[in-house]
């Protein structure tokens, strides 16, 4: 078995679990509902690693923040809704 760590791969952006109390602020900022967010499967390897990091199961309906480096903006932030 190799020591490959998916979150350390150059093509995998940083994933963060958004705190529940922050979720509504994000939705209000963009004027959207949770269902309007792009989706990420609970089975995604990055979600599994976040679960490991936080020591809890990330349930359906939680929001994941994805931070990508950007040549023009410095960083680009996106959000995904966890689905089963």
């Amino acid at each position: 078995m190799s020591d490959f760590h998916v979150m350390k791969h150059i093509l995998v952006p940083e994933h963060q679990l958004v705190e529940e109390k922050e979720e509504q602020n994000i939705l209000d900022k963009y004027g959207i509902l949770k269902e309007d967010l792009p989706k990420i499967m609970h089975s995604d390897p990055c979600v599994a690693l976040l679960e490991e990091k936080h020591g809890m199961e990330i349930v359906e309906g939680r929001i994941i923040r994805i931070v990508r480096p950007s040549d023009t903006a410095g960083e680009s932030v996106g959000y995904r809704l966890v689905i089963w």
Side-chain angles (χ1 to χ4, degrees):
M1 191 93 195
S2 72
D3 290 332
F4 178 74
H5 192 284
V6 69
M7 295 296 278
K8 293 184 179 178
H9 191 279
I10 192 168
L11 296 178
V12 178
E14 179 182 358
H15 287 62
Q16 306 165 349
L17 179 63
V18 174
E19 292 186 33
E20 288 181 278
K21 61 184 178 186
E22 185 185 353
E23 289 181 354
Q24 193 56 50
N25 293 336
I26 292 167
L27 298 173
D28 291 343
K29 176 180 176 181
Y30 295 105
I32 59 173
L33 301 171
K34 271 189 177 184
E35 297 76 31
D36 296 330
L37 289 169
K39 312 303 187 265
I40 187 169
M41 294 293 296
H42 180 264
S43 59
D44 187 286
C46 293
V47 175
L49 288 170
L50 281 175
E51 286 182 328
E52 203 175 287
K53 177 181 176 181
H54 291 277
M56 60 181 261
E57 182 179 5
I58 298 176
V59 297
E60 185 172 27
R62 292 297 305 269
I63 297 176
I64 305 293
R65 177 185 295 115
I66 300 174
V67 183
R68 294 180 174 85
S70 168
D71 291 336
T72 55
E75 68 179 20
S76 171
V77 179
Y79 298 93
R80 301 285 182 271
L81 179 67
V82 177
I83 62 170
W84 289 96

